[in-house]
């Protein structure tokens, strides 16, 4: 049996699944229920100066009847009194000493406030601190959150203030609302942060009520930009994570992966691209804490099948498999093949290729079922037909190399090889 | 004769066999299962070629009006069809989900969802062109006649429909099983179709009695004949005229036009035939309270003309089956029906229909009955058709590819031409007739 134990900056947890700083971690009742359900750790809902929330607060992107492809919120940091939060953190630590307890912080933008908040927090016995530099709404206007997270110099300065007093590991949570997370990552590492986490939510407008013309979520007839998360943001988070793993200045710092993680599969993907552990918010808000069961179970089964005994065996293994476009092998060529015994004659491959790709599938009309065949010479191997085909393994992409040797674009140009002629 | 069932029992027995979606969520969930096939097999298998993937996607995008328009623009009786079509051999039978051994999309139920809303809320989805002064007579307000009238009126033609009954809808109103459609829904559908204007239905006007074809030809620019077919085929066996031997069409006509409690049904009923009408006669006898209903068919289950779904309906209603049996004689006692004598058959060489023909084995058997319903096909109105100088085959009117008969400007379609198929075929025939008439009147090419 695989060992799911996780050690992030010396903070130990029985598994690598933490709940991200958000409503699921905003008070004792929730966090106790989360630990009972089996979560390895939590990042307590961000604490800082006193704020007030509005209603409504959430909206979603649904797609073809599938709820919550993306989730959007306009909530602020914790709106509960600081002292109550700190007291509850102490109590939870006593009841579940084996779970990771990290506290997210966002102080007012001055040295003294940060010092006070950090000290109060570590006095509870918490295992770590996460700096919230990424809250994209509400707080920005007050000089906190994303504003800090978007300016490498200010971010570095705040981290330095924190490190002056911090006695426990400090994680800096990065905002995705930047062109690249690398400059800010480098900057906060210089400032002394022990680890990074990403991503926080992405600024968004999820949609508009077509009767009232008010965007969601509607607060008395008006809306504001919200923070987007959930399954839809996973690809963006994975890309940002990878850029940290590729840069020599950021690649050695431990990263906690966040953004659209709903299953053990998603978690493994984050870890393969360099995350040491992962944090989850939306999936828990959609289905409750019980989802962690399959996360642990699925991860463990996958590790057993692959022969990994601990998570460190596979963290980062996919990083070298992402390269630069110019280094891809132009001689690698694949051609779609339709397994006629599996085909259900829906025509989706045909119309997609005919209207929007390379007219590489031929149609032979039948009543009521047409027959579709790939024209091998026309197929460019784009994957589109395979993507739209509703039957698993009906369309397979088969390798037909253009040449035996590896040939990249730079070499291709050097040799003056011919471009497409159609 | 059977004892009467309570009003409550009757109501339950004749309740809708395919209930609609109760909530939008259910319809949308089902609509989202549709994978939106290209050159979709469902559409190709619909005689009126409804763009099924389009109307389903319109439901899932919340464009119910567009969805209803998509359906009605191919099939103006799309509402009724969603309840009466044997979809298992049409659109749903061709749905690609079948090829994955999964439940096909509930196309009919989705179609009912949009069309019922449209009819109920009286959405006006079509606008008729201004009147162009042309006048066309349509004989018969059945599916063929109504579809033809609607298509013509849309183009600005003033249509007068002559209908011998007091209500429109044809066999939809007088023939289709009562647990599929109600008289009210049929009436609503007729009203909805005629709501575009330009269609004047003259009820209780019979061709051959109140009007003549020659007269109509004179008075109108063109004529469409959609009179359907008549009563059930004769058995031509001794005892056929005994009291208690009824024709399925009349039996169902009574059932559809009267209170169920007023219909007499036997205790032991034999139904002759295995088509749609036979199944309807058998199931509805059972639902009216008959103790034992036996269906008699000359061939085996394999050659049956009804679909599996319909046969299952009869089986679930507890009907009994005598396969390879052909009625030979009906025996009465003191004027009362007593026995049905049948010949045992076996299958011989394939006949003109391609199915193996039943051959008499010489053996006989007898069943006890007190009612016999004849449902072995319907007879065309041969006398009326031949009397009007319409070219025909045994009463089935002959038409060319434009839907025109041998008489200039006289078009025909539906059961009157095909001898009896489904509502949806009649609708397409009505559309075809309208197209032919528009070309004939040089209003389209
Ligand atoms: C018992 C039974 C059950 C059926 N069940 C189904 C089913 O579930 N699903 C399905 O799709 N199909 C079913 N059908 C078949 C379907 O009803 C017909 O195919 C369809 O109604 C044919 O339409 P039509 O317009 O050609 O003829 P009809 O519906 O027969 O309409 C003809 C119209 O012409 C009128 N008419 C006749 N003679 C004259 C005249 N001389 N002058 C003026 N008017 C006249 C009639 O009164 C009638 O209104 C069933 C048929 C029967 C008999
Ligand atoms: C309602 C809500 C409130 C959140 N509040 C905070 C917060 O106070 N501090 C913080 O660092 N992140 C906050 N987040 C961001 C989450 O911690 C997390 O980074 C983000 O939701 C991406 O993960 P997910 O896709 O699993 O939801 C919040 C998210 C949601 C949905
Ligand atoms: S998409 Fe797949 S199932 Fe559909 S026609 Fe193409 S190969 Fe067949
Ligand atoms: S065949 Fe089935 S899945 Fe395909 S478009 Fe028609 S209803 Fe949808």
């Amino acid at each position: 049996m695989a060992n799911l134990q996780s050690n992030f900056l010396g903070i130990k947890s029985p598994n690598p699944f933490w709940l991200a700083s958000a409503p699921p971690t905003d008070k004792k009742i929730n966090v106790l229920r989360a630990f009972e359900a089996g979560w390895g750790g939590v990042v307590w809902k961000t604490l800082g100066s006193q704020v007030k929330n509005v209603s409504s607060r959430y909206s979603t992107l649904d797609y073809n009847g599938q709820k919550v492809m993306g989730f959007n919120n306009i909530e602020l940091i914790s709106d509960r009194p600081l002292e109550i939060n700190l007291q509850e953190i102490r109590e939870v630590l006593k009841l579940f000493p084996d779970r990771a307890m990290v506290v997210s912080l966002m102080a007012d933008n001055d040295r003294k406030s940060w010092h006070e908040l950090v000290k109060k927090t570590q006095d509870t016995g918490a295992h770590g601190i996460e700096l919230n530099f990424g809250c994209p709404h509400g707080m920005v206007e007050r000089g906190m959150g994303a504003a800090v997270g978007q300016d490498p110099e200010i971010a570095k300065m705040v981290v330095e203030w924190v490190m002056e007093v911090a006695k426990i590991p400090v994680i800096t949570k990065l905002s995705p609302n930047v062109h690249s997370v690398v400059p800010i990552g480098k900057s906060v590492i210089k400032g002394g942060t022990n680890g990074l986490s990403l991503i926080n939510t992405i600024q968004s407008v999820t949609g508009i009520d077509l009767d009232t013309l008010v965007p969601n979520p509607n607060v008395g007839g008006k809306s504001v930009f919200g923070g987007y998360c959930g399954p839809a943001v996973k690809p963006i988070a994975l890309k940002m994570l990878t850029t940290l793993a590729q840069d020599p200045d950021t690649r050695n710092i431990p990263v906690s992966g966040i953004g659209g993680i709903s299953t053990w599969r998603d978690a493994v993907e984050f870890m393969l691209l360099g995350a040491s552990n992962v944090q989850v918010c939306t999936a828990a808000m959609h289905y409750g804490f019980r989802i962690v069961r399959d996360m642990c179970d699925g991860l463990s089964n996958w590790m057993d099948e692959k022969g990994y005994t601990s998570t460190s065996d596979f963290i980062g293994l996919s990083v070298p498999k992402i390269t630069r476009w110019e280094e891809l092998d132009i001689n690698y060529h694949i051609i779609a093949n339709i397994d006629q015994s599996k085909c259900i004659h829906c025509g989706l491959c045909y119309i997609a290729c005919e209207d929007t790709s390379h007219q590489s599938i031929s149609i032979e009309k039948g009543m009521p079922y047409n027959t579709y065949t790939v024209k091998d010479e026309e197929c460019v191997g784009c994957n589109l037909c395979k993507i739209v085909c509703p039957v698993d393994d009906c369309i397979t992409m088969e390798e037909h190399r253009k040449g035996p040797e590896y040939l990249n674009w730079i070499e291709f140009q050097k040799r003056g090889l011919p471009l497409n002629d159609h | 004769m059977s004892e009467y069932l309570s009003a409550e029992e009757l109501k339950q027995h004749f309740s809708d066999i395919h209930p609609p979606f109760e909530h939008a969520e259910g319809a949308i969930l089902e609509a989202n299962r549709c994978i939106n096939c290209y050159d979709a097999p469902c559409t190709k298998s619909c005689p009126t070629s409804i763009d099924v993937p389009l109307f389903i996607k319109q439901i899932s995008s919340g464009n119910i009006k567009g969805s209803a328009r998509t359906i009605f623009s191919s099939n103006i009786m799309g509402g009724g069809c969603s309840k009466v079509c044997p979809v298992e051999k049409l659109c749903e039978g061709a749905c690609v989900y079948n090829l994955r051994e999964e439940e096909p999309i509930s196309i009919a139920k989705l179609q009912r969802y949009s069309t019922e809303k449209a009819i109920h809320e009286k959405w006006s989805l079509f606008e008729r062109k201004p009147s162009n002064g042309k006048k066309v007579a349509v004989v018969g307000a059945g599916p063929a006649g109504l579809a033809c009238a609607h298509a013509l009126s849309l183009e600005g033609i003033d249509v007068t429909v002559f209908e011998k009954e007091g209500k429109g809808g044809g066999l939809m109103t007088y023939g289709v099983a009562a647990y599929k459609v109600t008289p009210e829904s049929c009436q609503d559908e007729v009203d909805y179709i005629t709501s575009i204007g330009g269609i004047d239905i003259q009820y209780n006007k019979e061709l051959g009695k109140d009007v003549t074809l020659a007269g109509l030809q004179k008075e109108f620019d063109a004529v469409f004949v959609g009179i359907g077919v008549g009563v059930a085929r004769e058995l031509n066996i001794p005892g056929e005229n005994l009291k208690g031997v009824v024709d399925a069409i009349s039996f169902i006509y009574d059932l559809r036009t009267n209170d169920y409690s007023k219909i007499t049904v036997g205790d032991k009923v034999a139904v002759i035939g295995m088509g749609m009408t036979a199944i309807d006669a058998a199931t509805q006898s059972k639902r009216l309270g008959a103790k034992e209903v036996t269906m008699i068919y000359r061939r085996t289950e394999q050659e049956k003309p009804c679909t599996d779904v319909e046969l299952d309906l009869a089986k679930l209603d507890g009907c009994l089956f005598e396969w390879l049996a052909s009625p030979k004689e009906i025996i009465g006692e003191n004027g009362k029906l007593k026995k049905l004598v049948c010949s045992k058959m076996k299958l011989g060489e394939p006949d003109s229909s391609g199915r193996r023909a039943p051959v008499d084995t010489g053996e006989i058997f007898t069943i006890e009955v007190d009612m016999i319903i004849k449902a072995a096909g319907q007879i065309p109105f041969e006398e009326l058709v031949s009397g009007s100088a319409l070219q025909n085959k045994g009463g089935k009117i002959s038409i060319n590819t434009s839907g025109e008969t041998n008489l200039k400007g006289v078009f025909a379609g539906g059961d009157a031409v095909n001898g009896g198929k489904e509502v949806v075929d009649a609708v397409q025939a009505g559309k075809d007739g309208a197209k032919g008439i528009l070309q004939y009147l040089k209003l389209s090419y």
Side-chain angles (χ1 to χ4, degrees), chain A residues 20-21 23 45-46 58 73 132 173 199-200 229-230 258-260 281-282:
Chain A
S21 171
K45 171 78 183 173
T46 306
Y58 307 150
N73 84 89
N132 179 359
K173 184 169 179 177
I199 59 175
N200 209 313
C229 51
I258 319 169
C281 169
T282 302

Side-chain angles (χ1 to χ4, degrees), chain B residues 166-189:
Chain B
K167 281 183 182 160
L171 284 175
M172 192 80 131
T173 300
Y174 296 109
V176 173
Y179 44 72
K180 291 184 186 167
V181 286
T182 60
E184 297 76 46
S185 72
C186 292
Q187 186 60 50
D188 288 347
E189 188 157 35

Side-chain angles (χ1 to χ4, degrees), chain A residues 52-327:
Chain A
K52 185 95 185 90
N53 274 306
V54 294
S55 79
S56 57
R57 304 175 185 183
Y58 307 150
S59 62
T60 59
L61 182 78
D62 302 343
Y63 180 73
N64 279 359
Q66 187 69 46
K67 292 268 198 166
V68 196
M69 304 294 292
F71 189 89
N72 171 64
N73 84 89
I74 58 167
E75 269 183 355
L76 307 175
I77 62 171
S78 176
D79 56 10
R80 307 171 70 227
L82 178 64
E83 290 312 324
I84 294 183
N85 276 299
L86 296 173
Q87 180 52 33
E88 289 188 358
I89 289 168
R90 275 189 203 98
E91 289 165 18
V92 174
L93 276 161
K94 246 184 238 135
L95 289 166
F96 283 96
D98 66 324
R99 310 301 168 90
M101 172 62 78
V102 174
V103 182
S104 171
L105 302 180
M106 182 195 285
D108 285 347
N109 222 351
D110 61 78
R111 189 164 174 229
K112 186 162 154 275
S113 301
W114 275 104
H115 279 187
E116 266 172 28
L117 192 58
V118 169
K119 280 186 202 152
K120 277 188 183 167
T121 303
Q122 55 197 12
D123 281 352
T124 60
H127 306 124
I129 286 169
E130 186 179 80
L131 307 180
N132 179 359
F133 286 175
C135 195
H137 45 267
M139 313 308 291
V140 181
E141 291 72 22
R142 303 176 51 165
M144 284 178 276
V148 177
Q150 283 161 343
D151 185 322
E153 282 314 307
I154 302 178
K156 178 161 157 272
M157 181 179 70
V158 174
V159 172
E160 281 166 356
W161 293 339
V162 170
M163 299 319 289
E164 285 164 10
V165 290
K167 297 199 188 97
I168 52 179
V170 173
I171 306 162
T172 303
K173 184 169 179 177
L174 300 181
S175 165
N177 298 309
V178 289
H179 169 65
S180 164
V181 290
V182 175
I184 210 124
K186 284 184 184 174
S187 200
V188 296
I189 290 169
K190 279 205 197 104
T193 192
N194 304 106
L196 297 174
S197 62
L198 88 175
I199 59 175
N200 209 313
T201 56
I202 304 173
Q203 290 208 343
S204 71
V205 176
T206 42
I208 299 175
D209 180 323
L210 295 186
D211 288 328
T212 63
L213 311 189
V214 179
N216 312 316
N218 179 333
V219 183
K222 288 269 160 64
S223 194
V224 290
F225 297 152
Y228 196 51
C229 51
V233 309
K234 183 184 88 169
I236 299 164
L238 286 175
K239 185 261 177 180
M240 291 185 160
L241 176 67
T242 307
T243 59
L244 292 179
Q246 286 174 330
D247 192 284
D249 292 340
T250 49
R251 76 161 52 123
N252 291 319
I253 191 136
V255 183
S256 182
I258 319 169
I261 297 165
S262 309
T263 66
W264 62 269
R265 281 180 179 278
D266 301 327
V268 167
E269 288 167 355
F270 273 79
M271 293 164 94
L272 286 170
L273 288 175
S276 302
N277 74 356
V278 296
Q279 300 181 27
V280 175
C281 169
T282 302
M285 291 184 73
H286 193 171
Y287 298 110
F289 295 135
R290 60 206 162 116
I291 57 168
V292 74
R293 254 182 79 172
D294 183 56
M295 290 185 142
C296 290
D297 194 49
L299 174 61
S300 167
N301 287 341
W302 178 78
M303 285 170 64
D304 287 347
E305 270 162 36
K306 298 296 270 186
Y308 300 132
T309 51
S310 95
T311 53
S312 54
D313 289 353
F314 64 89
I315 287 170
L317 288 189
S318 295
V319 174
K321 298 188 193 295
I322 296 185
T323 179
R324 290 178 309 148
W325 195 91
E326 311 84 80
E327 280 160 12

Side-chain angles (χ1 to χ4, degrees), chain B residues 84-86 139-145 162-165 169-172 175-176 180 205-207 226-229 249 252 276-277 280 378 381 384 413-416 421-424 426:
Chain B
V84 309
C85 272
V139 187
F162 298 91
E163 166 57 52
K164 76 168 182 202
E165 296 287 341
L171 284 175
M172 192 80 131
V176 173
K180 291 184 186 167
K205 287 275 184 311
E206 185 173 344
L207 176 70
I227 54 175
V229 279
I249 306 300
I252 295 169
M276 179 114 76
T277 305
D280 285 0
Q378 287 165 260
F381 296 113
L384 174 67
D415 279 5
K421 279 180 156 181
E422 323 293 347
V423 170
V424 65

Side-chain angles (χ1 to χ4, degrees), chain A residues 64-65 344-348 350-351 365-370 390, chain B residues 29 32 35-39 41 44-45 93-96 99-100:
Chain A
N64 279 359
I344 57 169
H345 314 282
C346 67
L348 291 177
Y350 169 79
I351 200 60
K365 293 266 183 176
M367 185 57 210
Y369 302 119
N370 302 335
Chain B
L29 205 65
N32 279 319
I35 62 171
N36 212 344
C37 295
Y38 168 75
D39 195 23
K44 283 158 100 177
S45 303
C95 176
V96 300
L99 303 176
R100 297 173 78 172

Side-chain angles (χ1 to χ4, degrees), chain B residues 25 40 72 74 107 116 150 214 236 304 322 324 359 392 398 419 443:
Chain B
E25 287 86 349
F72 288 134
S74 288
I107 300 173
E116 216 162 48
H150 187 266
N236 292 322
K304 66 177 185 308
E322 287 293 350
L324 289 168
V359 187
N392 65 85
S398 307
L443 292 169

